[in-house]
Amino acid sequence: MSGPQHILDVEKLRRAFGGLVAVNDLSFSVASGEVLGLLGPNGSGKTTALNLMSGLLRSDAGAIRLNGHDISGLPAFKIARLGLTRTFQLVRVLDGMDCRDNIRAGIVFNKPQVRAAGIESDITALLDRVGLAGQGNRPAADLTYIDRKRLELARALAAGPQLLLLDEWLAGLNPSELTIGIDLIRSLKDDGITVVLVEHVMAAVRALCDRCVVMSSGRKIAEGATSDVLSNPVVVEAYLGGVAAHA
Amino acid sequence: MTLRTTTLGAIALAAIVLLAFVPRLANPYYLALAISLLQYTVLATAWGMFSGPTRYVSLATTAFFGVGAYTVAVLGEVLPWPVVLVVAASLGAILAAVVGLSTLRLSGVYFVIFTFGLAELVRQLVVWFEVNKSRVLGRYVFVNVTQSDIYWQLLILAIAVFLIGWLVARSRLGFALRIIGEDETVATHCGINTTIAKVALFTISATIMTIVGAIMAPRWTYIEPSIAFNAMISFQVLIMALLGGAHRLWGPILGAVPLVILFELLSARFPNTFTIILGCIFLLIVYLLPRGVAGLLESGKARWGETFKPRAVA
Ligand SMILES: Nc1ncnc2c1ncn2[C@@H]1O[C@H](COP(=O)(O)OP(=O)(O)OP(=O)(O)O)[C@@H](O)[C@H]1O
Ligand SMILES: [Mg+2]
């Protein structure tokens, strides 16, 4: 059922690559203001699901509703303007531009109403927020791995999203960076941004996710409150030998 | 306005005033050379306006140039000159928009091949139309336009092109195209309608090329499709823009000026082997100067700045 409290409803979503069905009959909803974990072993279809939601890929069947409006089939730029933005599993920043321009890219096309002076202060605030204060004029190409991740997040936030999709944004961070990253994502929730979090780092899933959806071979195999899902035998089975073993 | 902009503006203004007097001072040979210089400067700059930021390599230059020239051949006697120019520009813009909408989804090498094919297709269509409908093979261009007029029109167009390029680079459209050039997926996820952005700039660039063709047409007294739609124009413009550096508005002129002069000398001295030499020059440029003269100047400047930067006191 779709209700006004759901920001996103995914219904019977399907996408195949040749004979491989990467997302198969996937249905779930995201409540406004929650952090939803989207889990599953490698190759289970999480990134493909995000690509369908953000408009990077087209679905073969099914519906995706953002605030009740069907967005499946819309081009990515329209979906972004409707308030759904994302980061990518393989970080994508604009290497030929400095950090400020990277963030500016997220603002100017989504929020044409913002005035020039407002944009500059917004950019500075976003740099501060993700921990890149003072780095604004550095070329993105010179940034370290974690700073590239920060910059990409800042760009996704710049559009002022209602719904943010994070694809393994915490992967590859060291323990202290992880703590900072978890706090950062939690602060997004406090700002009222709904988050769909694809994540293999179980500590982060436990710390952040209100609920989780678990995929395996393109299908949803479990859904519910985080602690219930993570102790669900079906989920443990799917992850055996995978990430859960050292979580 | 900063001191630098004011200085550059003053230099540009002085250059324009000087250039405006060329037809009064130069003999016919040098006037013809000056016309060539302006023609290729405008074509290469227009090419770079689109291909620089998007990194789409277009070989359609001659398609638009030819449409402009042919419009003059057909309508030159019938309509007043300014109207002819407007009609030519409109035809070029329409063709560019249609082509852009249907091809700018193609990427990389497919786009290159398509644009090359487009020029050939337009040429064949014109041939077919002339042979079957108009029943002529070529046309005489009867327009009362002198060499000096051609020069001055090109000079005005050159000024307009640099102004348009300067404005576009500072606009949202210019920023969108730089993002598209970096990463098209990121661009769409930033809310950019990449198709519209690319088609808009492609159309602007192609319209300018069409106007160049129209202005140049009276230089020939007799025109036929193989003259107006000469594939060499596309290649020469590409080489010039790449030599100069298409990632900067002022880059292509740095390639156009030396190459027009070089081609002028070579085609006079080695008329038969000219195309071979052209091919070799092309390879050398791509191999030795991937970012063009503009890139060379920029890295030279960066190194200069590096050497003479006051060291931080520890
Ligand atoms: N563009 C594509 N073309 C062909 N196959 C693809 C494509 N994208 C994904 N796949 C396949 O679809 C399946 C699901 O991939 P997906 O990237 O969605 O998994 P994932 O859950 O994100 O995995 P991981 O945890 O490793 O990131 C995989 O088998 C993958 O090889
Ligand atoms: Mg993935």
Side-chain angles (χ1 to χ4, degrees):
Chain A
M1 270 299 292
S2 73
Q5 73 276 26
H6 288 167
I7 188 165
L8 189 81
D9 295 286
V10 171
E11 275 169 35
K12 302 202 157 100
L13 201 61
R14 180 190 164 90
R15 169 71 201 219
F17 297 107
L20 177 89
V21 186
V23 169
N24 200 351
D25 205 24
L26 179 70
S27 301
F28 65 88
S29 293
V30 186
S32 197
E34 77 174 336
V35 177
L36 178 85
L38 185 56
L39 315 181
N42 290 115
S44 55
K46 307 178 295 292
T47 296
T48 306
L50 292 198
N51 288 346
L52 293 170
M53 293 179 223
S54 77
L56 184 58
L57 291 175
R58 272 170 174 265
S59 58
D60 300 333
I64 304 167
R65 267 187 275 280
L66 183 66
N67 291 316
H69 303 288
D70 194 358
I71 57 165
S72 45
L74 285 189
F77 77 90
K78 283 195 178 152
I79 296 176
R81 288 181 191 172
L82 286 172
L84 189 164
T85 63
R86 68 175 293 182
T87 63
F88 295 88
Q89 187 168 349
L90 297 172
V91 188
R92 300 181 97 131
V93 293
L94 306 164
D95 278 322
M97 300 184 186
D98 66 14
C99 295
R100 293 190 77 87
D101 277 349
N102 266 269
I103 299 175
R104 194 186 316 278
I107 301 179
V108 288
F109 305 100
N110 282 302
K111 297 182 182 168
Q113 72 282 6
V114 179
R115 301 222 150 260
I119 291 180
E120 296 311 319
S121 60
D122 281 4
I123 293 174
T124 307
L126 282 158
L127 283 165
D128 267 1
R129 169 145 209 193
V130 298
L132 288 174
Q135 314 257 39
N137 296 322
R138 272 182 82 185
D142 290 355
L143 296 181
T144 59
Y145 178 69
I146 168 146
D147 284 348
R148 291 165 72 80
K149 293 209 140 193
R150 287 177 157 142
L151 183 60
E152 195 188 26
L153 178 62
R155 187 184 66 220
L157 289 176
Q162 298 176 39
L163 177 61
L164 178 66
L165 314 179
L166 299 178
D167 198 349
E168 303 196 23
W169 191 77
L170 295 163
L173 304 194
N174 68 34
S176 63
E177 291 168 344
L178 191 63
T179 317
I180 299 170
I182 290 174
D183 287 344
L184 183 54
I185 296 175
R186 197 178 284 122
S187 76
L188 303 179
K189 185 185 167 170
D190 297 340
D191 281 2
I193 300 173
T194 311
V195 179
V196 172
L197 191 73
V198 170
E199 199 49 69
H200 284 304
V201 182
M202 285 303 150
V205 172
R206 287 205 181 85
L208 288 169
C209 299
D210 301 299
R211 290 188 315 121
C212 289
V213 166
V214 186
M215 295 177 70
S216 178
S217 306
R219 288 180 181 276
K220 180 173 82 179
I221 56 166
E223 176 174 18
T226 304
S227 54
D228 297 345
V229 165
L230 293 184
S231 56
N232 183 334
V234 181
V235 174
V236 175
E237 169 74 14
Y239 265 99
L240 261 189
V243 188
H246 45 88
Chain B
M1 229 190 257
T2 63
L3 185 64
R4 188 167 163 271
T5 346
T6 325
T7 319
L8 285 178
I11 293 173
L13 204 67
I16 293 166
V17 171
L18 280 180
L19 286 172
F21 282 104
V22 166
R24 289 276 174 274
L25 304 173
N27 66 30
Y29 172 78
Y30 283 111
L31 179 56
L33 183 63
I35 287 175
S36 275
L37 284 168
L38 278 177
Q39 173 196 350
Y40 281 103
T41 295
V42 175
L43 286 175
T45 306
W47 187 93
M49 257 166 84
F50 170 73
S51 297
T54 60
R55 301 181 191 176
Y56 277 71
V57 172
S58 162
L59 284 176
T61 307
T62 193
F64 298 109
F65 181 91
V67 165
Y70 244 86
T71 309
V72 172
V74 175
L75 298 177
E77 280 179 284
V78 191
L79 296 172
W81 182 242
V83 181
V84 176
L85 286 184
V86 171
V87 172
S90 316
L91 285 175
I94 292 167
L95 178 66
V98 171
V99 167
L101 281 173
S102 53
T103 62
L104 283 171
R105 289 164 216 273
L106 300 176
S107 53
V109 69
Y110 298 102
F111 181 79
V112 183
I113 294 168
F114 183 94
T115 53
F116 184 65
L118 172 80
E120 196 55 24
L121 175 75
V122 174
R123 182 166 83 104
Q124 295 297 342
L125 280 176
V126 171
V127 169
W128 178 87
F129 187 85
E130 295 287 68
V131 169
N132 291 297
K133 303 290 168 190
S134 335
R135 305 209 171 275
V136 291
L137 279 175
R139 287 169 182 270
Y140 289 93
V141 185
F142 293 120
V143 201
N144 198 9
V145 176
T146 64
Q147 296 289 305
S148 301
D149 292 338
I150 294 179
Y151 177 88
W152 279 316
Q153 290 177 72
L154 284 175
L155 185 62
I156 292 168
L157 186 61
I159 296 164
V161 166
F162 280 100
L163 270 180
I164 292 169
W166 188 78
L167 290 173
V168 166
R170 265 147 204 78
S171 69
R172 268 158 50 99
L173 176 62
F175 187 42
L177 280 140
R178 268 167 51 218
I179 300 169
I180 293 171
E182 292 255 339
D183 187 330
E184 195 154 349
T185 300
V186 167
T188 57
H189 283 80
C190 283
I192 297 170
N193 185 341
T194 53
T195 310
I196 294 291
K198 285 186 285 183
V199 171
L201 204 64
F202 187 66
T203 306
I204 293 174
S205 150
T207 306
I208 295 164
M209 294 171 174
T210 315
I211 298 174
V212 175
I215 293 176
M216 291 298 292
R219 251 194 138 185
W220 296 294
T221 40
Y222 178 78
I223 198 172
E224 55 178 36
S226 61
I227 300 175
F229 297 92
N230 182 352
M232 281 293 277
I233 292 182
S234 298
F235 284 106
Q236 289 183 349
V237 165
L238 172 87
I239 297 170
M240 288 165 184
L242 290 183
L243 171 66
H247 63 292
R248 288 274 178 253
L249 177 63
W250 46 266
I253 192 173
L254 301 178
V257 171
L259 284 185
V260 166
I261 294 171
L262 182 71
F263 292 164
E264 179 69 29
L265 297 175
L266 287 178
S267 61
R269 215 156 294 174
F270 311 100
N272 300 320
T273 45
F274 176 60
T275 39
I276 300 175
I277 298 172
L278 197 67
C280 295
I281 294 174
F282 185 42
L283 292 179
L284 273 179
I285 289 170
V286 174
Y287 190 74
L288 295 177
L289 285 177
R291 275 165 65 76
V293 176
L296 202 68
L297 290 180
E298 279 166 347
S299 56
K301 203 172 134 199
R303 228 172 292 142
W304 175 273
E306 208 55 48
T307 320
F308 292 88
K309 198 159 47 188
R311 297 269 164 242
V313 189

